[in-house]
Amino acid sequence: MEENEINNNQAEYNQASTEEMNLELNENKGPKEVFSFNWIAFALGVAFWYWWYEGNVDWFFYIYLAIVVLIHELGHVIIGTSFGCRIQVMQVFFIPFLTYRPKQVPEGGWWRNIVWSLGILPLGGITVFSTRGDGNIGDKPAWQRLLISAAGVLFNFATFLILYIAMQFMSRGGNEILMPLASVSLILGILNIIPIYPLDGGAIMFALFEIITGRKPSPKFTMIFGRIGFLFIIIFFWFFPEWLNRILDIVFGALF
């Protein structure tokens, strides 16, 4: 064996040893498991709801809605990870007060890369996908992004269908428990399918546009459309909900 080969082998050995030591160091001193509770956000949120509802807060509805939003966001998470997307945050409700960050380990489960949060304002949820590096959702084909966007709605409709069938075989007491969960699942699915960005319906519309035309909407158009959509949501869902109530009355009148 020549001297150069010996030196090369020694260099490779040293590099491998260094990488192994760094890996062990990262495992021992890497990001630790974090579980945090923001008392200020929680107190302000509770005070807001008592003020808004004049002390008559329906906490059972709050719990039902949290469960349904969790199912909705898990739809995005499960389908997204099945297509190789990397997810940074999965949050139920807004203004987070409860946060869990699992300890990240090499080759850990997909859930170890996600920060899980619970907010105090029940205005929906959000799943934040990575837009850079490996697992970039923007690199996925349009049909995959369409399914990822539609996953939350499909999970809500599936939940409603399962509960609706189960209610046909339940006692009255069981129906009183399942009925609100089924109703909220259906409502959330219907609202999110509306083709307004940043709702899922808007993201589905963008993906369909790309599938049909072969090109993505420009970032500027997406930003402008998103701001208009967000303003629309605030105005019509928050201040003028009467038209939505009429639509829901028709739907529930036909089903129940």
Side-chain angles (χ1 to χ4, degrees), residues 228-249:
I228 295 175
F230 186 77
L231 182 62
F232 177 88
I233 293 171
I234 294 297
I235 293 176
F236 287 92
F237 285 77
W238 192 268
F239 295 103
F240 303 103
E242 294 82 7
W243 66 275
L244 179 62
N245 291 334
R246 287 196 293 268
I247 295 175
L248 295 177
D249 287 340

Side-chain angles (χ1 to χ4, degrees), residues 36 41 43 137:
S36 60
I137 189 174

Side-chain angles (χ1 to χ4, degrees), residues 67-107:
I67 295 173
V68 171
V69 173
L70 176 62
I71 293 172
H72 179 98
E73 299 303 327
L74 282 177
H76 296 306
V77 170
I78 293 172
I79 301 301
T81 53
S82 69
F83 288 140
C85 295
R86 187 163 58 88
I87 299 169
Q88 298 174 332
V89 178
M90 202 285 284
Q91 181 173 309
V92 174
F93 298 165
F94 292 92
I95 306 182
F97 67 91
L98 188 63
T99 302
Y100 173 66
R101 183 192 300 271
K103 180 181 179 181
Q104 299 183 14
V105 297
E107 300 181 358

